[in-house]
Amino acid sequence: MSTTAIALAADYNKLQQLLETSEELTPEMIADTLESIEGMLEEKLDNTFKFIRNLEGLSKTCDEEAKRLADRKRSFENQAKHLRQYVLSCLLAAGLDKLKTPVNTFTARKGVASVVIDNVELLPDELVDVQMISAPDKKAIKEALESGVEVPGAHIEIGSRSLQVR
């Protein structure tokens, strides 16, 4: 007999097929063999799922660590932003537009002009880009198809089987 879960499942299936065609096996032999293979298969699948849960735990840990590092990055960026503002404030308080040091040249640049929209509705049409987004309502389409209504351009497709473990 094989030792991998898939091989055990195949052996179990072969044995069930053999039972349908063979008259030489006693009910006790059949029960013992099926029980043995089933027990090994159960153990393999349980162990495989322990490993799956471990991998899912590691994935969750990575996700939490990524969030923690993103928060830390944001903190560093905010500190840098505040310190840049502090350096600018020092230049302006000293009445300097530019200061050269052996390492850096600090310049208090003039502000950049930017447009502020007070009310979009008052803008002329030629100065507004219109974007139209259309998205199918899949829930409504599914309900219509399931109730027997023909919906051109859509159909229901059954996905592949999936594993549920409780």
Side-chain angles (χ1 to χ4, degrees):
M1 290 230 182
S2 304
T3 57
T4 65
I6 197 72
L8 286 171
D11 288 345
Y12 189 82
N13 191 27
K14 285 178 192 173
L15 183 60
Q16 285 180 326
Q17 289 174 358
L18 180 65
L19 297 177
E20 294 172 4
T21 60
S22 176
E23 296 174 10
E24 299 171 11
L25 299 173
T26 66
E28 294 81 23
M29 292 170 59
I30 294 168
D32 287 346
T33 308
L34 282 175
E35 223 173 88
S36 170
I37 292 175
E38 193 172 299
M40 289 188 292
L41 182 59
E42 287 172 357
E43 184 180 342
K44 290 285 183 183
L45 295 180
D46 280 342
N47 287 336
T48 301
F49 223 79
K50 286 177 189 174
F51 187 63
I52 289 169
R53 287 191 176 114
N54 184 46
L55 292 173
E56 290 170 342
L58 291 172
S59 173
K60 183 180 177 189
T61 300
C62 289
D63 194 35
E64 290 168 357
E65 184 67 8
K67 289 175 185 170
R68 186 187 70 79
L69 289 172
D71 289 343
R72 192 163 184 207
K73 175 186 174 193
R74 205 169 14 263
S75 173
F76 290 144
E77 288 170 345
N78 285 337
Q79 284 179 345
K81 179 182 172 184
H82 291 298
L83 287 172
R84 284 179 180 274
Q85 188 60 44
Y86 172 73
V87 171
L88 177 61
S89 298
C90 289
L91 279 177
L92 297 176
L96 298 172
D97 287 333
K98 191 180 230 180
L99 175 67
K100 285 188 178 188
T101 70
V103 179
N104 296 295
T105 300
F106 301 96
T107 305
R109 295 185 329 170
K110 292 184 179 182
V112 178
S114 62
V115 175
V116 177
I117 306 298
D118 298 316
N119 187 340
V120 173
E121 301 298 321
L122 297 176
L123 295 173
D125 288 343
E126 63 270 6
L127 297 177
V128 177
D129 283 336
V130 177
Q131 297 178 352
M132 194 172 358
I133 299 172
S134 66
D137 184 349
K138 287 188 174 184
K139 183 178 179 185
I141 293 170
K142 181 179 181 189
E143 288 172 3
L145 288 169
E146 286 178 339
S147 65
V149 176
E150 186 176 327
V151 180
H155 69 280
I156 290 180
E157 202 172 89
I158 305 298
S160 61
R161 295 180 71 173
S162 63
L163 176 66
Q164 178 181 356
V165 178
R166 296 183 215 188

